[in-house]
Amino acid sequence: MWLAAAAAAAAAAGRGCSQRLPASVRSYSHDAAETLMREYAAGRAPQVVPFQITEAQARDKFLAWQRGTARLAPSSLLPAGGPWHMRAALLPFWLFDVRARVEYAGSVGLRDKGSGSVSWRDIGWRELPQRQYSWQHDRQLQVYASYKYRRDYAAAVHGPWAFKRLQPLPESDAQRGACSLGAARGHLLGADLDLPAMRQAIAWEFVLRDVREAEQRAAEQRLLAAHGAQEARDVHVRLHVLDHSARLAFLPAFHLEYEHGEAFNVHGERVPARYEALISGTAEGGVAGTRHFSAHKAGGGVLLGALGATAAAAPLLGLDPWGLVNIESAFMLLSAASLAGVAARMLPIWLHQSAEEQRLRASDAEFDRVVSMGMGPRDTGTEEQEFLRSAAEWRRWEAVGAEPWREHKRQLWAEELFESQQRRRLEREQLRERLQWEQARQEEEERREQRRQQRWGRSHHAHHWQQQEAAFAGGRSGGGRRDYLHYYRLLGLDAAHERGHVTQEDIKRAFRRAALRWHPDKQEVADEPGRRAARERFQQIRTAYDVLRDPDKRRAYDRGEVVEM
């Protein structure tokens, strides 16, 4: 269905048609459709897990999850014919199989029983036998392959039990974008087929991150157990991927959209608060969403609890329970009940804000740690540094701004992030090759000079080009200009620079503040020019820091010379 619509849209575009495309066509990317059909062409027919429950059972499952153990869920959360909508969908997942070789090293701390001091011992690189990772056993190799819903929601509604019911997805169902394989109570349940909008290469980044982090935790435990140590630090892991493969599978789920309570929009107006949830389409699957609490039940519970406690405690204190009933006590009880109702109404918002702040703090701390590595434009870095930086970027992509989840904005961010990482790795590799070439050229020049000295004696030729570079700064001079590229001003250190009091710690702290303020991931601008300006400003800040953090480059810059990057 959507393939035919996409073809019709392409034909209309070829005829110069300027009318707006239907929503069903705009929501499915042509690349995702091609990815799905390529799986059939390659002989890897996508698999699908059939539905086991109906829409009515999914509604009951959601309400039971809301009630939980406290039973404070609102009674009219999903009223019959009310403002809620449920959609049956098949969620795409990339399933990976990986064969790799793992090396690890680190330091272990052995505590002296007498003094209690810890002596550290370095452990060299150890190699493990080849390891096989399979999606059938590790959830970290099952990657949600779409941007339509929150990733933590999609991960919560599936498990290893679901994939035991895989069966081939008919190609005809894939072509029309719907499937009727889900059996529930003896009848077929039709469901929309969500396309795999996430390219396999991006999903592979998540797999590499999770596998490597799992191996690093396991390596720490191996070091502690093998040496009887109490602590471990500086644990490093090398993951050498020998082979990997991926296949596509679809899991059943119900997407629920509903209204509950009120919220304020950007204009300060009261509007119905909208929520969404994902409910697994299998009997064992879970539910992911926002828990709600009834203000009436919470207030009534506090009121009844206070009355019961008063009635039970009054005889023990020799008081008449009815003698405690007056206007003041009634007012206090009603106030406590009202506060409990307000707290129950605001609790989901508070919980969400707390979780969001915790994710942001963790993301900022990780980003700070990566920034402190200080990889400049002339530093090739190590594989581990690149891994840590990429992992921090993808974790920020997952955590920041998860509510509300914007599908197309999130996809654009992921694509841009992936391309920037690939470009950065390519540039680092080119820089590594160039530096190796320069080193080889310098070594050859030194060998030639040694041969000249052996035959003709020492001359001034050996260091002639270094002296030229020191004297003329590469043949170009800035003429003694003060902060002529505004590097100090970019870091907010122009005033301190004028006074002549800028230390290396000042530069490091200023860069961290500026990076956290101007990092593209921190910007809330929605338009492309705004995002481009943020990226350019952040790149300028990085360049300024790379120059000022290096004492030699900083002295050359302060003299007004043009610093080679």
Side-chain angles (χ1 to χ4, degrees):
M1 181 174 60
W2 41 262
L3 281 177
R15 292 193 301 267
C17 179
S18 61
Q19 64 182 8
R20 189 176 181 183
L21 296 176
S24 60
V25 175
R26 294 195 308 274
S27 62
Y28 291 130
S29 69
H30 186 58
D31 291 340
E34 287 184 347
T35 298
L36 178 59
M37 302 314 297
R38 274 200 303 267
E39 292 296 301
Y40 288 98
R44 300 185 301 266
Q47 306 288 299
V48 62
V49 176
F51 280 85
Q52 289 185 305
I53 62 175
T54 62
E55 183 176 310
Q57 290 172 324
R59 175 180 177 274
D60 295 339
K61 189 175 187 177
F62 173 76
L63 294 176
W65 175 78
Q66 284 287 347
R67 287 191 296 269
T69 56
R71 298 188 179 278
L72 289 179
S75 302
S76 58
L77 190 59
L78 297 180
W84 59 274
H85 172 71
M86 188 174 291
R87 165 182 173 264
L90 290 168
L91 308 185
F93 283 82
W94 285 114
L95 309 179
F96 286 88
D97 286 307
V98 183
R99 186 169 58 90
R101 184 168 52 85
V102 178
E103 298 176 282
Y104 67 95
S107 300
V108 295
L110 303 174
R111 188 178 300 277
D112 185 82
K113 295 182 179 179
S115 62
S117 60
V118 178
S119 60
W120 290 94
R121 175 185 171 191
D122 293 335
I123 307 299
W125 288 100
R126 307 289 177 86
E127 183 175 348
L128 297 174
Q130 286 188 15
R131 301 175 65 82
Q132 188 76 29
Y133 309 89
S134 175
W135 59 269
Q136 300 182 30
H137 306 103
D138 298 327
R139 291 190 63 174
Q140 59 196 12
L141 274 70
Q142 305 164 5
V143 183
Y144 178 51
S146 178
Y147 304 96
K148 188 176 290 293
Y149 308 122
R150 287 177 48 167
R151 301 189 59 78
D152 53 344
Y153 279 16
V157 300
H158 83 283
W161 27 261
F163 292 101
K164 296 179 181 179
R165 306 187 185 92
L166 285 173
Q167 59 188 62
L169 174 67
E171 187 172 356
S172 58
D173 287 348
Q175 290 176 345
R176 65 189 182 91
C179 181
S180 301
L181 283 175
R185 286 189 179 180
H187 64 83
L188 296 179
L189 180 65
D192 296 331
L193 197 69
D194 289 351
L195 287 177
M198 175 179 287
R199 66 171 81 176
Q200 188 181 125
I202 295 180
W204 176 240
E205 293 288 332
F206 290 106
V207 170
L208 283 178
R209 180 197 68 181
D210 295 340
V211 169
R212 185 160 185 167
E213 290 179 350
E215 285 296 341
Q216 187 160 4
R217 292 190 295 268
E220 183 174 347
Q221 296 302 318
R222 289 192 198 97
L223 289 172
L224 295 176
H227 301 278
Q230 291 74 36
E231 300 178 48
R233 68 182 184 186
D234 300 332
V235 179
H236 303 280
V237 169
R238 294 173 181 167
L239 182 67
H240 306 279
V241 177
L242 305 177
D243 186 25
H244 77 279
S245 60
R247 62 187 306 181
L248 196 60
F250 293 86
L251 294 186
F254 292 93
H255 177 236
L256 174 64
E257 294 178 302
Y258 62 99
E259 297 177 357
H260 177 70
E262 293 181 334
F264 291 97
N265 60 14
V266 294
H267 304 292
E269 304 168 340
R270 286 181 177 270
V271 295
R274 299 180 180 275
Y275 298 90
E276 64 176 0
L278 278 182
I279 307 152
S280 175
T282 61
E284 305 92 340
V287 177
T290 302
R291 289 189 182 271
H292 302 284
F293 303 92
S294 171
H296 301 295
K297 290 182 179 180
V302 170
L303 184 60
L304 291 176
L307 291 175
T310 301
L316 298 177
L317 299 175
L319 301 175
D320 181 13
W322 295 104
L324 299 176
V325 178
N326 50 45
I327 295 178
E328 289 81 3
S329 61
F331 177 76
M332 292 176 61
L333 288 175
L334 291 176
S335 299
S338 300
L339 289 175
V342 173
R345 191 179 297 111
M346 298 298 295
L347 186 58
I349 300 176
W350 293 336
L351 292 175
H352 165 71
Q353 291 177 346
S354 176
E356 188 74 11
E357 290 175 0
Q358 186 176 359
R359 285 195 297 266
L360 286 175
R361 284 195 298 269
S363 177
D364 290 344
E366 187 175 21
F367 180 72
D368 251 357
R369 181 166 60 90
V370 172
V371 166
S372 65
M373 294 177 184
M375 291 199 314
R378 294 284 291 182
D379 298 325
T380 59
T382 64
E383 181 185 352
E384 186 174 14
Q385 287 176 324
E386 176 60 33
F387 161 74
L388 292 174
R389 181 172 180 180
S390 298
E393 291 170 342
W394 284 117
R395 225 181 309 276
R396 176 170 291 233
W397 175 85
E398 288 180 305
V400 175
E403 188 69 34
W405 184 270
R406 307 293 187 191
E407 175 187 358
H408 299 292
K409 182 178 179 180
R410 191 67 54 162
Q411 180 174 0
L412 179 62
W413 184 3
E415 295 286 346
E416 290 180 349
L417 178 57
F418 176 74
E419 291 174 2
S420 67
Q421 290 177 349
Q422 298 301 310
R423 185 166 54 251
R424 183 177 67 225
R425 291 167 186 166
L426 178 61
E427 291 172 353
R428 295 289 178 185
E429 184 63 30
Q430 292 174 344
L431 175 61
R432 187 178 294 109
E433 294 176 356
R434 190 177 69 193
L435 292 178
Q436 291 175 351
W437 179 83
E438 290 179 356
Q439 183 179 1
R441 182 181 62 84
Q442 184 177 357
E443 292 174 353
E444 178 64 22
E445 180 67 24
E446 291 175 354
R447 285 193 295 269
R448 291 179 179 178
E449 178 61 24
Q450 290 177 359
R451 289 195 295 269
R452 281 195 293 267
Q453 290 183 15
Q454 292 174 357
R455 184 171 183 180
W456 306 105
R458 183 174 179 81
S459 68
H460 70 284
H461 175 78
H463 303 289
H464 179 68
W465 64 273
Q466 292 96 331
Q467 294 171 357
Q468 275 191 326
E469 185 175 276
F472 300 105
R476 294 168 292 174
S477 175
R481 294 167 288 180
R482 189 177 182 85
D483 197 19
Y484 65 99
L485 293 178
H486 310 296
Y487 285 167
Y488 288 98
R489 189 173 68 183
L490 283 168
L491 298 180
L493 296 172
D494 46 341
H497 178 57
E498 291 293 334
R499 296 192 299 268
H501 300 291
V502 180
T503 65
Q504 291 300 112
E505 287 298 321
D506 294 335
I507 294 174
K508 185 180 294 186
R509 285 194 297 267
F511 170 68
R512 289 180 178 177
R513 289 195 300 268
L516 290 175
R517 177 182 178 186
W518 291 102
H519 194 280
D521 296 347
K522 285 286 189 179
Q523 309 306 311
E524 297 182 356
V525 292
D527 57 324
E528 179 59 29
R531 290 195 296 269
R532 189 183 304 111
R535 288 195 297 268
E536 292 175 355
R537 181 62 178 265
F538 182 71
Q539 185 60 40
Q540 292 172 355
I541 292 172
R542 282 301 303 264
T543 303
Y545 175 67
D546 290 332
V547 170
L548 298 182
R549 75 183 180 92
D550 187 294
D552 295 334
K553 293 180 180 179
R554 181 182 173 187
R555 283 193 292 270
Y557 177 74
D558 289 341
R559 291 194 300 267
E561 299 174 358
V562 177
V563 180
E564 293 288 347
M565 300 299 292

